[in-house]
């Protein structure tokens, strides 16, 4: 049976090493909120580690250097950084009372770190491992640099990205290193990036995966006379109208150093709270895209992150969820979840079998498209066509490119908003052309009808088949256009036969499955599927007819196929299931990390996963955590069980 | 075995190997200038110096040689001396010619200073014939010579021979730091402290003088560590030296330090730090030992520098001290810091150790 982890090996923090646990409470992009528990005290990340004595409201952690005394009032996390040239490693010293984590930065780390930066490639050892990890292994071969495997443990809770301070000079260097540090740190520990992070950079750095920040960058900027805001940095000397109310000091007549520091720290603290709120709201990416406008190099940093982190980040972002995507900026085109959608269309998606007449529609402001007035009109026109089961509707849009009708309820297709002006920018043009070309290249269409607006049609007209009727004139929603569309579709479907509707719905469900699971898994799932039921957009998939076994169902709220236990078994038998190995119990409700033995590292939150014990399917349901986290973490929900044996 | 599991000392050895490799790759990126006339010295100039406690005029020459033997093999992390050496086939005759040509500039200066961008006593760099000839000629003119060498290379016989020609002889040793740890893992020095002690003893045995060069802020040290390193090094080398020269590291081309600098992993020391080292060490300096500090590139981004506004004041205080005018200006520097960057410097001293493997460089806002 599933049991919540209830025992903590060390109840109090004392001279012995504390036993911390990390539980992820929310995820967005590469960022997350976690509950970091030591003994009976819990702190929540992303968290600020403050140097002692700074004017900050309570609720932050404390950062100490070697030999500094733990402040008596410290009620939260205390992290001690030790080591250096003149200070002997602290390994054999007793663990200071009240300290949550102690990390030793020895000379070798400094040397390695700076050399690795110089080489301009990811360092062999970019992470300072908490001192607990040090073992004095006399048999170690020092002649070569051993391969670095991610050291994953929840004993040393804090991993330090030790080059952060130097790498941060150049976002092009920082971003790939940061991503690698995050991967090496693993989900079971907190990533601390010392010395970096001004208020306007916090959203981006959290999105990239940093859990812990300190006050050093803000203190230094204050000494440099910089006035910090969430939207950027400018010299305090030019500031005539400080933001009042933030620092509780009113408006100081002169920006004296203390007032400036207090202001900057207050802004920093507040911005981290804003980041946490957006993260929990699922809108961190939108915040990031806003904040990086502060400086061209910040915007470049986000682009570098997208460039290098596409795969890494897409593995963490849920396949489906609530909440809107606001595609406001050029970077929205390259956000990992959006790119993932487009890549799956290009690489995995197979159009429904038997639907050989392609009709291209413009997108609508209302989502899902089917609820919009324009698309209701299109639906009625299609209803006028006798062999409508041959028609495959595809919506041409930005930033998703093309959205087949059977995918219109998926995320973010059903959830995005984009500033519409009617004019496409060059990046959108290139992206749309690429997506449409990829769809046409999949073959199988005997006819194409373009019901797009004039500008969108012109964008792709050159690679549409010769003689493709353009019916969206003078405007796709005008009655003349309706008539043209009807006529063009009737003409296109005149010869040949249409599939029966149950068969077509089966094909639609399978097309969705190719996007959701990949083509091989779709084949395995639909190998014995022969009938459908339900009323679109709900489609139930059966094998052995409607009285046989139900394999899956398209659920409009998720926009995805939900598997039954039979579907899970079909996928598992075909070797195509994403499997979570569990202990010997019947899963009900939620499977927690403590019950997971092993999980497919390819699992993305929202994926349908099959719960297996000892080769036997026990249940099925959507994942709520990425696969690697299920294996590594000791706490937190992993799978919402929908069906069990 | 994960690297993270390695004991610090093991990883230190590994990282040092990487450092040596990195330094070699820097030096190999340097191509010696072709078509150089090896009968002319690289540079010749006149300068005022303090020699044996007396203000002296000096003729200084930098001779072209095949270059420091250690630099060819491996090289120190901050040393860009190949920019003035690394010449092919410099015969003894040519070295003598260089010297003679340079001596045409001699205008009655009391002191001849010869730099070879290496070791004057190393026969691979300065062949014995040239060595003897130069000593003879200096003996005939001023009788006062200053050269530089690694301490473990010079022999009893060489120094004895020199003293037969010269009235006063000063040998400079680039010790850099008195801490073997720093020498091994930050500087990549060819010798260690005990070899320096033996060399200085040899020099003194023959009645010559030892001038010891130290660096301030070898790479991979924090600002505070560097202050500690140099201050304690001064006091450790002083009993074996007549003159101690503190040289804040400046960023020279084709060095590991230059590469670190470029990647934001090295900042030359603050002039505040240099002043603090000189002031602190001057208070405990044994009698008869002269402490000098003339920061090369001081006040510039690639040399020891402060914020740009107060650099001149600090440089002036160091210059005054070096010219024997006492520590008054240095003391005043810290009594009335005046400049806003003083508190920034203090803050960095206290907080750089918390930066992990990074260091505070001049800030870049993005």
């Amino acid at each position: 049976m599933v049991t919540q982890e209830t025992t903590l090996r060390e109840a109090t923090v004392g001279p012995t090493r504390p036993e911390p646990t990390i539980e992820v409470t929310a995820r967005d992009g590469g960022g997350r909120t976690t509950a970091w528990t030591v003994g009976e005290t819990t702190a929540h990340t992303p968290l600020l580690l403050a140097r002692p004595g700074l004017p900050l409201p309570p609720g932050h952690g404390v950062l100490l250097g070697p030999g500094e005394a733990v402040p008596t009032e410290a009620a939260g996390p205390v992290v001690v950084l030790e080591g250096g040239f003149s200070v002997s490693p602290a390994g054999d010293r007793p663990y200071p009372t009240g300290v949550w984590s102690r990390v030793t930065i020895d000379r070798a780390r400094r040397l390695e770190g700076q050399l690795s930066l110089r080489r301009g490639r990811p360092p062999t050892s970019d992470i300072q491992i908490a001192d607990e990890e040090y073992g004095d292994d006399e048999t170690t071969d020092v002649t070569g640099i051993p391969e670095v495997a991610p050291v994953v443990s929840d004993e040393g809770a804090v991993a330090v990205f030790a080059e952060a301070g130097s790498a941060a000079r150049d976002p092009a260097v920082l971003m790939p290193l940061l991503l690698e540090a995050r991967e090496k740190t693993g989900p079971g520990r907190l990533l601390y990036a010392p010395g970096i992070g001004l208020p306007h950079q916090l959203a981006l750095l959290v999105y990239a995966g940093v859990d812990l920040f300190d006050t050093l960058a803000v203190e230094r900027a204050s000494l440099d006379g910089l006035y910090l805001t969430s939207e950027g940095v400018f010299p305090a000397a030019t500031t005539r109208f400080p933001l009042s109310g933030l620092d509780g000091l009113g408006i100081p007549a002169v920006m004296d150093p203390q007032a400036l520091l207090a202001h900057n720290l207050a802004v920093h603290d507040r911005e981290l709270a804003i980041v946490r709120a957006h993260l929990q709201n699922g809108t961190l990416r939108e915040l990031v895209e806003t904040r990086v406008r502060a400086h061209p190099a910040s915007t470049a940093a986000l682009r570098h992150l997208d460039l290098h982190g596409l795969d890494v980040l897409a593995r963490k972002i849920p396949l489906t969820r609530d909440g809107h995507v606001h595609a406001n900026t050029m970077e929205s085109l390259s956000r990992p979840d959006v790119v993932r959608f487009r890549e799956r269309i290009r690489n995995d998606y197979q159009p429904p079998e038997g639907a050989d007449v392609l009709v291209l529609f413009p997108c609508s402001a209302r989502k899902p498209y089917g609820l919009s007035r324009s698309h209701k009109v299109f639906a009625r026109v299609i209803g006028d066509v006798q062999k409508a089961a041959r028609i495959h509707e595809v919506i041409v849009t930005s930033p998703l490119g093309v959205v087949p009708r059977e995918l219109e309820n998926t995320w973010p297709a059903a959830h995005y908003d984009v500033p519409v002006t009617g004019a496409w920018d060059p990046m959108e043009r290139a992206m749309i052309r690429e997506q449409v070309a990829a769809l046409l290249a999949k073959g199988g269409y005997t006819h194409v009808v373009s019901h797009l607006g004039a500008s969108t049609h012109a964008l792709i007209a050159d690679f549409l088949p010769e003689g493709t009727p353009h019916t969206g004139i003078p405007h796709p929603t005008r009655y003349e256009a309706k008539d043209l569309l009807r006529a063009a579709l009737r003409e296109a479907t005149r010869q040949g036969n249409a599939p029966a509707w149950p068969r077509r719905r089966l094909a639609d469900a399978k097309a969705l499955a190719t996007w959701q699971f990949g083509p091989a898994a779709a084949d395995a799932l639909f190998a014995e599927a022969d009938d459908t039921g339900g009323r679109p957009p709900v489609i139930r998939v059966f094998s052995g007819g409607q009285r046989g076994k139900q394999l899956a169902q398209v659920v409009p709220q998720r926009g995805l196929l939900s598997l039954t236990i039979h579907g899970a078994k079909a996928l598992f038998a075909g070797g195509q299931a994403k499997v979570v190995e569990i202990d010997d119990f019947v899963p009900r409700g939620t499977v927690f990390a403590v019950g997971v033995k092993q999980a497919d590292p390819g699992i993305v939150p929202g994926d349908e996963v099959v719960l297996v014990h000892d080769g036997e399917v026990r249940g099925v349901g959507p994942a709520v955590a990425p696969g690697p986290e299920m294996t590594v973490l000791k706490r937190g929900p992993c799978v919402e069980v929908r069906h069990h044996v | 075995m994960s690297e993270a599991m390695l004991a610090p000392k093991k990883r230190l050895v590994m990282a040092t190997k990487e450092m040596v490799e990195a330094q070699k790759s820097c030096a190999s990126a340097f191509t010696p200038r072709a078509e150089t006339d090896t009968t002319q010295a690289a540079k010749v100039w006149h300068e005022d110096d303090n020699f044996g406690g007396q203000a002296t005029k000096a003729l200084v020459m930098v001779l072209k040689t095949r270059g420091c033997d250690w630099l060819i093999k491996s090289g120190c992390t901050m040393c860009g001396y190949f920019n003035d050496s690394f010449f092919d086939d410099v015969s003894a005759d040519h070295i003598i010619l260089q010297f003679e040509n340079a001596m045409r500039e001699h205008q009655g200066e009391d002191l001849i200073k010869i730099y070879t961008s290496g070791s004057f006593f190393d026969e691979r760099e300065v062949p014995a014939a040239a060595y003897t000839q130069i000593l003879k000629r200096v003996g005939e003119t001023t009788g006062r010579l200053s050269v530089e060498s690694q301490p473990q290379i010079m022999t009893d016989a060489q120094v004895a021979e020199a003293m037969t020609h010269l009235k006063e002889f000063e040998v400079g040793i680039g010790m850099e730091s008195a801490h073997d740890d720093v020498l091994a893992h930050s500087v990549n020095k060819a010798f260690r402290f005990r070899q320096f002690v033996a060399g200085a003893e040899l020099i003194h045995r023959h009645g010559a003088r030892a001038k010891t060069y130290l660096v301030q802020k070898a790479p991979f040290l924090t600002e505070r560590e560097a202050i500690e390193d140099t201050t304690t090094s001064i006091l450790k080398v002083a009993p074996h030296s007549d003159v101690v020269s503190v040289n804040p590291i400046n960023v020279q081309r084709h060095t590991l330090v230059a590469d670190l600098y470029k990647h934001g992993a090295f900042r030359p020391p603050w002039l505040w730090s240099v002043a603090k080292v000189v002031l602190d060490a001057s208070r405990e300096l044994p009698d008869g030992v002269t402490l000098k500090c003339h920061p090369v590139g001081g006040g510039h981004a690639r040399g020891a520098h402060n914020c740009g506004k107060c650099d001149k004041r600090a440089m002036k205080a160091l210059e005054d001290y070096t010219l024997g005018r006492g520590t008054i200006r240095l003391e005043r520097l810290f009594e009335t810091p005046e400049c806003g960057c003083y508190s920034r410097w203090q803050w960095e001293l206290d907080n750089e150790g918390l930066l992990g493997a990074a260091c505070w460089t001049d800030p870049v806002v993005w």
Side-chain angles (χ1 to χ4, degrees):
Chain A
M1 301 300 296
V2 181
T3 51
Q4 285 275 10
E5 189 178 47
T6 50
T7 53
L8 277 171
R9 273 171 285 178
E10 196 81 40
T12 54
V13 183
T16 51
R17 162 156 50 89
E19 299 281 351
T21 57
I22 308 292
E23 181 178 346
V24 179
T25 48
R27 297 177 180 81
D28 199 1
R32 60 195 190 154
T33 57
T34 75
W36 175 19
T37 307
V38 172
E40 289 170 355
T41 318
T42 298
H44 297 275
T45 71
L47 182 74
L48 196 57
L49 302 173
R51 298 286 289 140
L54 290 177
L56 266 172
H60 51 78
V62 177
L63 174 67
L64 297 180
E68 290 179 346
V70 179
T72 45
E73 73 275 13
V78 175
V79 174
V80 180
L81 281 181
E82 300 194 310
F85 156 68
S86 55
V87 184
S88 60
D92 48 354
R93 271 188 255 147
Y95 217 93
T97 306
V99 169
W100 282 35
S101 188
R102 189 175 66 181
V103 187
T104 305
I105 310 290
D106 57 71
R107 270 190 42 74
R109 296 253 186 230
R110 183 179 296 281
L111 208 161
E112 279 171 16
Q114 296 195 9
L115 285 170
S116 63
L117 272 175
R118 171 203 169 263
R119 286 192 302 260
R121 61 176 167 83
T124 50
S125 158
D126 51 355
I127 300 167
Q128 311 309 322
I129 306 302
D131 56 314
E132 295 93 332
E133 307 272 349
Y134 289 158
D136 202 352
D137 189 345
E138 290 300 325
T139 62
T140 304
D141 173 19
V142 297
T143 54
I145 293 173
E147 212 158 283
V148 183
V151 181
V152 175
S153 153
D154 69 350
E155 289 180 342
V158 175
V160 180
F161 172 33
E163 285 100 333
S166 293
R169 286 171 63 86
D170 183 356
V173 174
L174 176 67
M175 286 302 156
L177 290 181
L178 190 50
L179 285 164
E180 196 180 329
R182 177 71 265 178
E183 287 309 287
K184 282 185 185 166
T185 301
R189 291 186 300 161
L190 300 169
L191 180 62
Y192 166 40
I196 67 169
L198 295 176
H200 71 274
Q201 301 164 340
L202 288 177
L204 176 63
L205 293 171
V206 168
Y207 186 77
V210 179
D211 296 308
L212 298 174
F213 296 91
D214 56 37
T215 50
L216 297 176
V218 173
E219 288 178 72
R220 192 183 193 220
S222 305
L223 285 166
D224 281 340
L226 296 177
Y227 184 82
L228 308 181
T229 75
S230 299
E231 294 80 18
V233 175
F234 43 99
T238 65
T239 307
R240 294 282 176 275
F241 305 101
L243 300 177
S244 59
L246 267 182
D247 46 21
L249 298 172
I251 300 178
V254 180
M255 263 297 180
D256 68 276
Q258 279 311 308
L260 184 62
L261 178 64
H263 164 86
N264 287 344
L265 286 169
V267 168
H268 198 62
D269 196 46
R270 175 175 167 272
E271 177 67 7
L272 203 56
I274 293 171
V275 169
R276 277 192 290 260
H278 275 270
L279 206 159
Q280 257 158 351
N281 194 38
T283 49
L284 181 58
R285 175 73 188 203
E286 280 77 2
L287 180 69
V288 171
E289 289 179 14
T290 309
R291 293 305 193 227
V292 297
R293 302 297 143 201
H295 198 288
S298 308
T299 308
L302 175 58
R303 293 184 190 169
H304 284 297
L305 182 68
D306 283 342
L307 201 65
H308 294 281
L310 208 54
D311 292 341
V312 176
L313 297 177
R315 282 204 294 273
K316 296 177 181 175
I317 301 175
L319 206 53
T320 180
R321 61 183 211 197
D322 297 330
H324 281 249
V325 166
H326 288 169
N328 284 329
T329 73
M330 186 176 136
E331 287 73 36
S332 306
L333 287 176
S334 57
R335 53 183 282 173
D337 33 15
V338 166
V339 173
R340 177 177 64 191
F341 183 95
R342 295 200 304 257
E343 280 184 349
R344 285 187 176 205
I345 289 285
R346 289 204 307 275
N347 303 334
D348 299 334
Y349 174 74
Q350 297 294 332
E353 216 175 303
D356 61 344
V357 175
L358 173 67
V359 56
L360 300 172
F361 283 128
C363 61
S364 60
R366 177 120 186 229
K367 309 285 177 334
Y369 309 115
L371 297 181
S372 72
R373 267 169 55 142
S374 59
H375 281 247
K376 280 179 180 165
V377 170
F378 303 154
R380 276 199 295 276
V381 174
I382 287 173
D384 292 344
V385 180
Q386 207 181 3
K387 296 181 200 164
R390 282 178 65 183
I391 297 170
H392 188 219
E393 302 170 51
V394 172
I395 293 92
V396 177
T397 183
S398 176
L400 296 176
V402 295
V403 180
R405 179 69 76 193
E406 66 274 16
L407 264 64
E408 73 170 352
N409 288 314
T410 56
W411 188 86
H415 306 83
Y416 74 95
D417 276 318
V418 60
V420 178
T421 57
W424 303 111
D425 75 35
M427 274 186 70
E428 285 178 318
R429 286 166 193 270
M431 179 275 296
I432 287 173
R433 284 174 63 86
E434 186 185 11
Q435 294 299 109
V436 174
L439 181 71
L440 290 171
K442 290 174 192 291
Y445 296 118
T446 54
H447 295 81
V448 180
V449 174
S450 164
H451 195 64
L452 302 168
S455 67
T456 317
H457 178 79
L459 181 58
I460 57 167
D462 59 322
F463 48 69
L464 292 177
E466 213 165 308
T468 297
H470 179 213
T471 58
I473 43 181
H475 188 273
T477 53
R478 290 279 290 271
Y479 65 93
E480 300 99 312
K482 262 168 34 181
D483 293 343
L484 282 172
L485 176 64
R486 190 181 298 111
L489 289 175
R490 280 180 175 157
E491 174 58 28
T493 55
R494 198 161 51 83
Q495 287 177 338
N497 296 317
W501 273 111
R503 187 135 282 283
R504 170 61 201 273
R505 299 222 166 96
L506 195 62
D508 279 351
K510 187 175 176 185
L512 173 60
T514 58
W515 181 89
Q516 182 180 348
F517 300 104
D523 283 343
L525 180 60
F526 282 79
E528 302 198 343
D530 52 17
D531 201 1
T532 59
R535 199 186 158 88
V538 173
I539 305 174
R540 295 198 187 92
V541 181
F542 294 97
S543 105
Q546 293 200 10
R547 303 216 165 158
K549 295 175 185 168
Q550 189 184 335
L551 297 171
Q553 175 176 335
V554 178
V555 181
Q557 289 77 13
R558 300 176 70 222
L560 299 174
L561 279 158
S562 294
L563 299 180
T564 65
I565 204 83
H566 298 301
K569 283 178 176 170
L571 263 189
F572 184 66
Q576 294 293 333
K578 289 191 173 171
V579 171
V580 173
E581 284 277 341
I582 55 171
D583 287 328
D584 188 6
F585 60 88
V586 177
R588 293 188 179 89
T590 304
V591 172
F592 289 91
V594 68
V596 173
K597 284 162 76 177
Q598 193 72 41
D600 184 334
I603 292 171
V604 170
D607 264 341
E608 291 287 300
V609 298
V610 179
L611 298 160
V612 174
H613 175 75
D614 205 13
E616 179 195 331
V617 173
R618 290 282 176 92
V620 66
V624 292
E629 296 193 19
M630 296 185 193
T631 312
V632 170
L633 293 174
K634 303 221 164 138
R635 284 185 155 194
C638 291
V639 183
E640 301 289 354
V641 182
R642 184 186 304 113
H643 301 291
H644 58 80
V645 290
Chain B
M1 182 68 200
S2 148
E3 190 171 349
M5 301 289 187
L6 296 181
K9 204 176 277 177
K10 294 279 166 65
R11 286 191 294 98
L12 192 59
V13 175
M14 275 167 31
T16 305
K17 285 186 176 174
E18 277 196 69
M19 176 191 75
V20 173
E21 290 305 313
Q23 171 58 31
K24 277 187 190 170
S25 75
C26 289
S28 65
F30 168 77
T31 28
R33 279 148 298 179
E35 295 176 40
T36 311
D37 181 2
T38 51
T39 63
Q40 294 293 336
K43 281 172 200 161
V44 183
W45 71 93
H46 312 273
E47 70 178 25
D48 293 326
D49 198 6
N50 186 327
F51 190 68
Q54 300 208 332
T56 312
K57 292 217 179 287
L59 175 71
V60 191
M61 61 185 81
V62 179
L63 300 186
K64 292 171 184 166
T65 66
R66 90 191 254 272
C68 172
D69 197 58
W70 175 243
L71 196 47
I72 293 165
K73 284 189 187 124
S74 183
C76 300
T77 54
M78 73 294 168
C79 176
Y81 275 2
F82 34 75
N83 296 311
D84 287 322
S85 60
F86 274 18
F87 299 98
D88 289 335
D89 299 326
V90 189
S91 63
D93 290 349
H94 274 205
I95 288 180
I96 293 166
L97 263 174
Q98 287 181 44
F99 172 77
E100 292 297 347
N101 286 332
M103 282 301 278
R104 288 190 196 149
E105 306 275 325
H106 188 236
Q107 296 160 355
E109 285 91 352
D110 283 335
L111 172 65
I112 310 289
K113 291 166 88 170
I114 300 177
Y115 298 136
T116 56
S117 304
S119 290
F120 191 68
F121 294 106
D122 191 337
E123 290 190 10
R124 290 163 295 195
E125 299 170 38
V126 181
Y131 177 76
T132 306
Q133 179 62 21
I134 288 171
L135 289 175
K136 217 181 265 175
R137 286 280 287 124
V138 175
E140 287 162 15
T141 50
T142 71
R144 292 186 182 83
L145 180 64
S146 173
V147 298
E148 294 176 342
S149 178
Q150 294 182 47
Q152 81 282 17
I153 285 174
M154 62 182 117
T155 62
D156 228 36
Q158 281 175 315
V159 184
E161 184 193 350
M163 293 312 286
T164 62
H165 298 286
L166 301 171
K167 283 185 277 185
E168 289 182 68
F169 189 31
E170 182 187 73
V171 181
I173 299 174
M175 184 64 239
E176 325 310 4
S177 166
H179 302 114
D180 286 355
D181 202 23
V182 173
L183 295 177
H185 305 302
S186 287
V187 181
N188 189 34
K189 199 75 195 166
F191 55 93
R192 298 291 179 262
F193 185 63
R194 64 187 157 77
Q195 285 155 315
F196 160 78
V197 173
E201 205 248 329
L202 189 156
I203 291 165
H204 286 133
R205 198 162 60 229
H206 292 282
R209 284 200 291 269
K211 178 177 183 180
T212 308
Y213 295 92
L214 297 173
V215 294
Q216 181 165 352
K217 204 168 179 189
F220 317 119
L221 301 184
T222 63
E223 193 78 14
R224 183 183 283 287
E225 288 165 356
I227 290 173
E228 193 185 317
D229 171 41
T230 310
T231 311
T232 52
S233 289
I234 292 171
L235 300 176
K236 273 180 85 176
V237 302
H240 310 281
S241 314
D242 300 278
V243 179
V244 179
S245 170
V246 173
N247 298 275
I249 283 190
N250 59 86
V251 181
Q252 300 177 3
R253 284 180 301 138
H254 306 300
T255 61
L256 180 61
V257 163
D259 253 30
L260 293 172
Y261 172 78
K262 191 176 123 198
H263 290 93
F266 179 79
R267 184 211 190 276
W270 288 76
L271 284 168
W272 292 114
S273 305
V274 180
K276 180 175 163 54
V277 164
V278 172
L279 186 58
D280 289 355
S282 71
R283 290 176 175 145
E284 297 179 45
L285 210 59
D287 287 342
V289 179
T290 310
L291 180 61
K292 290 182 176 184
C293 178
H294 180 75
V296 175
H300 296 278
R302 297 168 79 92
H305 64 277
N306 285 350
C307 63
K309 285 178 232 156
C310 60
D311 296 53
K312 275 192 182 151
R313 187 173 173 229
M315 288 290 284
K316 180 81 182 124
L318 287 166
E319 190 189 321
D320 267 22
Y321 177 79
T322 301
L323 293 177
R325 295 182 193 150
T327 56
I328 296 167
R329 270 180 196 267
L330 284 173
E331 279 158 18
R332 226 180 267 155
L333 210 55
F334 291 97
E335 279 158 15
T336 50
E338 285 171 16
C339 190
C341 77
Y342 177 73
S343 51
R344 169 63 194 280
W345 166 72
Q346 282 187 314
W347 181 86
E348 287 195 6
L349 288 185
D350 290 343
N351 290 286
E352 192 171 22
L354 297 168
L355 267 190
C359 66
W360 290 124
T361 55
D362 296 327
V364 178
V365 171
W366 54 270

